[in-house]
Amino acid sequence: MQVGLARLCERGLPMPAALRVLRQLVLERLVVLDCEQGAPLATITRAVTELAELALDAACTLAFAELDELYGAPLAEAPEPLPVRPRLGPAETPLAGTVPASEAGSAGANGHSAGAPQARPAPSGGSEPHEVGSVGANGHSAGAPQARPAPSGGSEPHEVGSVGATVPPQRAQMWVVGMGKLGARELNVSSDIDLIYVYDADGETAGNAQGRNKISNHEYFGKAVKHIYNTVGETTEHGNVFRVDLALRPNGNSGPSAVSLGALEVYFLVQGREWERFAWLKSRVVAPAACVQDKSAIMLRGAVLPFVFRKYLDYSVFEALRTLHRQIREHASKRAAGNPGRANDVKLSRGGIREIEFTVQLLQVVRGGQFPELRTRPTLDALTRLCRANLMPPAMADALAQAYDFLRRVEHRIQYLDDQQTHVLPTRDDDLNWIAASMGCAHVCEFLHTLDAHREVVAQEFDTLLGGPGNGGCNGKGCNGKNGNGGAPVDDLQSVLAQLPEAFAAKVGEWIHHPRVLALREDARVRLVRLVQRTGAWLDEGRVSELAALRMAAWIEHLLRRESYLALLQERPSVHERLLRLLGAAKWPAHYLLKHPGVVDELASQQLLTDRFDPVQFEAELQARRAALQSTGEDDEEELLNLLRRAHHAEVFRTLARDLERVLSVEQVADDLSALADAVLRTTARWCWARLKNRHREEPAVAIIGYGKLGGKELGYGSDLDIVFVYEDEHDNAPEVYAAFVRKMINWLTVKTGEGDLFEIDTALRPNGNSGLLVTSFTAYANYQQQRGSNTAWTWEHQAMTRARLVMGSLNLSTRFDAIREAVITAERDPVALAAEIVAMREKVRAAHPVHGSQFDVKHSVGGMVDAEFVVQFLVLSQSRAHPELCANSGNINLLERAERAGLLLPGMGTAAARAYRTLRQIQHRARLDEAPPRVEAAQVQEEAAAVRALWQHVLGGAVIPAANA
């Protein structure tokens, strides 16, 4: 296109005319590519987008050249001169000058606004009137910060000490922001282009060659906008290049044509409406090309990202989008009332392109704050990412993608007919026949049938997601009362008390005058009433328990300032019911949800109860999120720490939900939690190493050895991690490098951020315990464990080795560790001496955890889990040399069964003890979930305790067995 434009200019056409002729040539070519050669949709939309970018860049160049000649270049407000300071000595560091923040002030004649609000409707007949106030008529904002990029060429810093030293003024930049399809590179062949003009700094121009005609930057850029419109949008004898629409700018058509970056930030903070977040989702700086190439336009990202994507799951946008869509449909219906043919609008009618875009954008806006990999502009790419994130079934994502492609190609054919921005099917038979044939259909009936099928799929998915009639209501008695249309919400809360059970009514009654409830916005209080009504209806039907309702009330009360959770529960009745079932099942989930409320959204997943934890997918998703953060420059350490925590907490909660729904056994829960810990350790290690300043190689030659519950794959909720770090690296600085790496990694795992922490870390099992090195060489570790030299491991450390495994490390280190572990546990030992040591260790543990009263402690009482675990450790250390099948780190239950098959236990003894251990472990697990001591009446586990005592007597019969319940 650039070559074609240059040739047109060489023929004597001025740039505006050359652009218009180029547009006609491009359109003629696209008709052939699209309708005759079947070019992909992306080829057509990308070509139109590139034409728009080329035209806008050329228009900017023309405008700035002409305006610079008249008024001089626009300059950013210069920073204050550096203070006069005495010359610094050679050992002192010079101080850089700083730019003071703008002082806040009320609006005056200069146009800075603090004035009365005005009404602003949403574009295209959209949302409610939009109040304005902070951004004045000139686009400035009182007190708005004016961000500036570093000088592009960069002069040498002024010597501190010179009087009045200043930084040379920099040229202020204006960015042409493409919205909608232009921003997403999805332009139609006859699209208008939605633009917003933003400039980076206030100030005034340098003046013309004679130093005259200085104007403010705001005036300069306002004139530039008009000049660009004349070049691109004005209709001449050659037509136009693109129709230009500025209605999406702050304050709409009543706002300034160009707005400063500072004013835009304040507008987002104070006045930005929910529908504007969807508009800015696809925003992109499209011109001038130089600003795109030198990355100076990246400053705009800091204002846009936090406005579009909130850091929490944002279900409050559902109602805003529902309202906007309803108004658009009503507007389309009114247009169609006098012209029935307009009902066949492939964009705005039911099941049209707009509903696909809304479906995709809604999921992006709700979750994009926490899942940066969802932040993308093109609709088809977003569908792929939503599917990859399990937010949409693959079949539905594919169906919507096919519908989008079909509808967009139909839209193009409609526009080829008259080169008008219309989306309504023609009524002439010959036009319909041509469209059908160009779409590959044998006749018009086939085309219309295919069109209707695609639109029906889109409409059903849209209604399911956004909610048809009645969705989000209370699903119970009283739902048709005045709360449905926003009556007096607090009175409604009072009136619903009579419908509730006594304890739940008492709790809800406390809310009537609760300051947090009174501080809620009216729509949020209505949501609260509807949730209470729905809960009351379910209590009346026996679907949920009153205990669950009370726990949910406590959870909601704690989170009333985060209205998004009320919106989530109202919009998703299935989430509401699942939450109540989960809270009614145990006490610990309620506390977990208070600490990590964002995980409640996991209850909306269709795959929640069917899938298991997949470490490969988990690590890939984390890597994708990190890459998405890197692409926007947000991958600082704090953001990565929070990213790890959010992902870990979500997976723990998924496992918890499956556990409480009895989808997983206790063993499967432990397997999944252990696999999750492994994945977090591997990812944390990779990210820490990548950010380590003194690293000397691409991949660390380090291994992490898991002990205890992590090593035995028996982790529970909230378990700490017993780990040991070893390295194998001959580099001279290896000890210092890996020590710094391990310290960094432990800090990443344990530090508390706004998202909580990950794990408590215990490294006491490293050689020489807490007095030893935090990380040691692999050779030193091997010598310590294999009794080489004077500094060697104790028997209890060898007991720990029976449950050790390599959690992270290279294949070579893994093989070497397995060899060391096997050598340790198969070493020749005196069985009698070993038995005495293990029994003595068991007595120490018993003394540290005395059991009082008549109840049976499933872990520490005689015949409890610890007895079985010590027996297994003795069998492994004393018999693995003769029975290699006992070397496997396969868990206590499996090892007891293996010992029986090896003839080390009486027939049926290993099986009975394994069954008893499983039962005791289940009791312990359920007790911990309910935050209760793991104790039961002795009669309840009489059979299990007897099986474990028999095991102990048979294997360690020479030991003195304390009396039962001692």
Side-chain angles (χ1 to χ4, degrees):
M1 289 188 197
Q2 289 179 332
V3 173
L5 180 62
R7 289 178 179 173
L8 289 170
C9 291
E10 289 170 1
R11 294 179 183 178
L13 284 175
M15 180 61 72
L19 286 170
R20 285 159 173 76
V21 173
L22 177 65
R23 191 236 177 211
Q24 297 301 322
L25 295 173
V26 169
L27 190 60
E28 290 173 8
R29 177 61 179 157
L30 291 181
V31 174
V32 175
L33 286 173
D34 191 359
C35 300
E36 297 181 12
Q37 299 181 13
L41 174 64
T43 300
I44 308 302
T45 56
R46 181 59 67 97
V48 182
T49 302
E50 289 176 358
L51 174 63
E53 292 170 348
L54 177 64
L56 288 168
D57 182 58
C60 287
T61 302
L62 278 179
F64 296 155
E66 181 176 313
L67 294 174
D68 281 4
E69 184 176 350
L70 291 172
Y71 307 107
L75 302 177
E77 291 178 340
E80 293 182 357
L82 295 175
V84 178
R85 295 177 59 86
R87 185 176 298 275
L88 300 176
E92 296 181 87
T93 304
L95 300 175
T98 58
V99 182
S102 303
E103 293 184 4
S106 58
N110 63 356
H112 290 262
S113 170
Q118 305 173 29
R120 178 200 176 180
S124 305
S127 177
E128 306 170 7
H130 190 109
E131 289 188 348
V132 303
S134 295
V135 181
N138 67 351
H140 297 266
S141 169
Q146 302 295 332
R148 290 290 305 135
S152 56
S155 59
E156 290 295 321
H158 291 273
E159 182 180 31
V160 177
S162 59
V163 177
T166 60
V167 178
Q170 301 295 308
R171 181 183 180 104
Q173 301 291 342
M174 183 180 77
W175 307 308
V176 183
V177 182
M179 308 291 282
K181 287 183 170 59
L182 174 57
R185 296 185 173 91
E186 297 173 329
L187 278 181
N188 295 323
V189 293
S190 190
S191 279
D192 62 358
I193 51 177
D194 295 298
L195 303 178
I196 296 178
Y197 294 91
V198 181
Y199 58 94
D200 65 347
D202 287 317
E204 67 176 9
T205 62
N208 60 17
Q210 291 76 40
R212 299 176 180 175
N213 292 347
K214 293 184 179 182
I215 60 175
S216 70
N217 287 357
H218 177 72
E219 294 175 278
Y220 176 96
F221 290 122
K223 294 177 183 294
V225 170
K226 293 178 181 178
H227 197 291
I228 292 169
Y229 174 80
N230 292 338
T231 302
V232 176
E234 189 175 42
T235 302
T236 70
E237 68 272 16
H238 297 289
N240 61 20
V241 190
F242 287 96
R243 292 174 293 275
V244 177
D245 190 344
L246 304 184
L248 290 176
R249 69 188 187 270
N251 300 324
N253 292 327
S254 63
S257 57
V259 62
S260 71
L261 177 59
L264 181 67
E265 289 176 320
V266 172
Y267 178 85
F268 284 158
L269 181 65
V270 177
Q271 302 167 235
R273 289 292 183 94
E274 299 294 348
W275 66 261
E276 289 179 286
R277 294 170 60 195
F278 290 93
W280 280 92
L281 172 63
K282 293 191 174 189
S283 65
R284 177 174 62 92
V285 175
V286 296
C291 291
V292 177
Q293 293 163 2
D294 66 16
K295 308 291 186 184
S296 61
I298 202 171
M299 293 165 54
L300 184 62
R301 183 181 295 157
V304 174
L305 278 180
F307 173 64
V308 176
F309 301 110
R310 305 295 161 82
K311 289 191 175 182
Y312 48 84
L313 293 165
D314 191 10
Y315 275 82
S316 59
V317 298
F318 271 74
E319 189 59 37
L321 189 57
R322 189 180 288 120
T323 300
L324 175 59
H325 180 259
R326 182 171 58 249
Q327 292 178 347
I328 290 174
R329 270 194 179 175
E330 290 173 355
H331 180 67
S333 298
K334 290 177 182 177
R335 291 174 57 200
N339 185 353
R342 287 188 176 275
N344 288 318
D345 190 317
V346 297
K347 179 178 181 180
L348 299 180
S349 294
R350 183 176 183 272
I353 296 167
R354 179 60 55 83
E355 291 193 356
I356 300 175
E357 294 172 339
F358 276 0
T359 297
V360 171
Q361 292 171 11
L362 180 61
L363 293 172
Q364 286 182 284
V365 170
V366 167
R367 293 172 174 266
Q370 291 199 354
F371 303 99
E373 69 273 22
L374 300 179
R375 302 174 190 173
T376 185
R377 300 179 185 92
T379 301
L380 292 176
D381 182 42
L383 274 170
T384 301
R385 297 188 185 205
L386 290 170
C387 179
R388 194 181 302 139
N390 292 321
L391 297 177
M392 185 177 290
M396 180 51 64
D398 184 60
L400 291 181
Q402 291 183 32
Y404 183 80
D405 182 84
F406 185 89
L407 292 171
R408 288 297 306 276
R409 290 191 295 121
V410 171
E411 180 184 42
H412 285 169
R413 281 148 180 76
I414 294 170
Q415 294 175 354
Y416 288 140
L417 291 171
D418 296 308
D419 191 17
Q420 294 295 318
Q421 191 197 16
T422 179
H423 318 281
V424 179
L425 282 176
T427 55
R428 290 168 51 102
D429 290 344
D430 55 343
D431 289 341
L432 283 173
N433 285 329
W434 176 79
I435 290 177
S438 68
M439 291 294 293
C441 298
H443 45 73
V444 173
C445 288
E446 179 186 341
F447 164 70
L448 293 176
H449 176 76
T450 305
L451 174 64
D452 288 343
H454 282 306
R455 289 172 62 176
E456 187 60 30
V457 169
V458 173
Q460 288 184 8
E461 177 62 13
F462 181 80
D463 288 341
T464 299
L465 177 68
L466 199 56
N471 190 52
C474 73
N475 286 10
K477 57 188 177 183
C479 293
N480 298 319
K482 59 184 178 179
N483 66 298
N485 53 28
V490 174
D491 289 346
D492 283 347
L493 202 57
Q494 173 72 56
S495 64
V496 81
L497 295 181
Q499 307 170 19
L500 306 178
E502 182 178 353
F504 187 46
K507 181 62 180 176
V508 173
E510 296 174 4
W511 291 351
I512 294 175
H513 302 293
H514 196 292
R516 289 183 183 175
V517 174
L518 296 175
L520 290 174
R521 296 180 305 174
E522 183 175 349
D523 59 341
R525 279 183 282 171
V526 170
R527 288 192 182 111
L528 181 62
V529 171
R530 289 179 177 176
L531 287 175
V532 171
Q533 287 180 303
R534 186 196 287 159
T535 304
W538 288 345
L539 285 168
D540 192 48
E541 296 166 11
R543 289 167 64 174
V544 299
S545 69
E546 188 172 9
L547 177 61
L550 290 170
R551 287 173 176 169
M552 187 195 74
W555 180 72
I556 287 177
E557 184 176 310
H558 184 74
L559 297 168
L560 281 173
R561 289 193 179 95
R562 302 187 189 182
E563 297 176 4
S564 179
Y565 294 109
L566 296 176
L568 164 61
L569 295 180
Q570 183 197 343
E571 295 289 345
R572 292 287 183 264
S574 61
V575 174
H576 182 195
E577 186 172 8
R578 274 185 177 178
L579 174 64
L580 283 164
R581 286 208 312 270
L582 187 146
L583 293 175
K587 188 183 295 184
W588 189 80
H591 291 168
Y592 193 78
L593 279 166
L594 281 175
K595 290 172 62 179
H596 313 296
V599 300
V600 71
D601 184 65
E602 300 301 326
L603 295 175
S605 170
Q606 297 296 321
Q607 295 81 28
L608 177 67
L609 300 182
T610 58
D611 290 356
R612 289 280 301 275
F613 173 67
D614 183 343
V616 175
Q617 181 182 354
F618 176 79
E619 292 183 58
E621 288 175 354
L622 277 175
Q623 202 58 36
R625 287 171 198 167
R626 183 191 180 201
L629 290 172
Q630 284 178 316
S631 70
T632 56
E634 297 175 276
D635 62 328
D636 58 75
E637 192 157 302
E638 182 180 2
E639 191 61 40
L640 293 181
L641 288 171
N642 287 331
L643 178 58
L644 283 168
R645 281 150 178 75
R646 283 194 295 268
H648 174 260
H649 299 155
E651 284 296 341
V652 169
F653 187 72
R654 291 186 190 115
T655 301
L656 175 64
R658 295 165 191 149
D659 181 8
L660 293 175
E661 292 284 358
R662 305 300 173 99
V663 174
L664 301 180
S665 67
V666 175
E667 290 84 358
Q668 289 173 321
V669 169
D671 286 344
D672 285 1
L673 292 177
S674 300
L676 173 60
D678 291 356
V680 170
L681 287 171
R682 287 192 296 266
T683 301
T684 304
R686 282 196 301 270
W687 293 3
C688 284
W689 184 259
R691 302 178 77 88
L692 195 68
K693 294 180 180 179
N694 60 341
R695 63 188 173 99
H696 58 285
R697 54 193 299 164
E698 285 302 310
E699 297 291 334
V702 70
I704 299 176
I705 302 167
Y707 284 86
K709 292 187 180 298
L710 175 63
K713 296 185 179 180
E714 295 180 350
L715 279 187
Y717 304 110
S719 293
D720 60 359
L721 303 185
D722 295 299
I723 54 179
V724 169
F725 296 89
V726 295
Y727 69 89
E728 184 75 354
D729 193 330
E730 298 300 325
H731 193 275
D732 290 344
N733 295 330
E736 293 81 7
V737 170
Y738 289 108
F741 165 69
V742 170
R743 285 194 297 270
K744 185 179 188 69
M745 187 170 171
I746 291 176
N747 180 64
W748 272 46
L749 293 168
T750 59
V751 68
K752 290 186 182 296
T753 71
E755 298 287 345
D757 59 3
L758 286 170
F759 298 103
E760 292 294 326
I761 301 298
D762 189 343
T763 60
L765 286 170
R766 66 187 187 268
N768 298 312
N770 290 328
S771 63
L773 297 173
L774 194 57
V775 57
T776 187
S777 71
F778 200 94
T779 301
Y781 174 81
N783 290 338
Y784 181 83
Q785 293 291 348
Q786 293 178 282
Q787 311 292 315
R788 296 172 185 160
S790 57
N791 183 30
T792 59
W794 295 75
T795 299
W796 66 265
E797 291 177 284
H798 288 172
Q799 287 179 252
M801 183 65 91
T802 64
R803 305 178 70 192
R805 63 185 176 89
L806 197 82
V807 171
M808 189 205 83
S810 66
L811 179 61
N812 176 54
L813 287 176
S814 177
T815 302
R816 292 181 61 189
F817 170 77
D818 289 342
I820 293 170
R821 178 181 177 276
E822 183 174 349
V824 168
I825 63 179
T826 60
E828 190 170 356
R829 293 178 173 86
D830 179 357
V832 176
L834 178 63
E837 287 190 70
I838 286 183
V839 169
M841 179 59 66
R842 175 66 186 102
E843 291 306 315
K844 289 182 181 179
V845 173
R846 194 186 310 281
H849 299 276
V851 179
H852 303 290
S854 60
Q855 285 193 316
F856 183 90
D857 187 309
V858 298
K859 184 172 183 179
H860 293 291
S861 285
V862 174
M865 295 169 63
V866 174
D867 283 351
E869 291 165 0
F870 271 69
V871 168
V872 170
Q873 291 166 15
F874 171 79
L875 289 172
V876 170
L877 291 176
S878 65
Q879 302 298 327
S880 290
R881 188 177 184 87
H883 299 279
E885 63 269 29
L886 297 181
C887 289
N889 184 359
S890 55
N892 293 304
I893 293 173
N894 181 263
L895 287 171
L896 284 168
E897 293 169 346
R898 289 188 183 205
E900 181 181 323
R901 289 196 295 270
L904 300 174
L905 302 176
L906 298 176
M909 177 176 284
T911 303
R915 186 167 54 248
Y917 186 84
R918 179 181 285 114
T919 300
L920 296 175
R921 189 174 170 190
Q922 290 170 347
I923 294 171
Q924 180 194 49
H925 182 71
R926 294 296 162 186
R928 286 179 173 173
L929 281 176
D930 216 28
E931 298 182 345
R935 297 178 182 177
V936 296
E937 295 301 323
Q940 182 180 336
V941 290
Q942 183 176 356
E943 182 180 343
E944 290 77 9
V948 175
R949 286 200 300 268
L951 173 71
W952 178 280
Q953 184 64 34
H954 178 76
V955 177
L956 297 168
V960 177
I961 307 298
N965 296 317

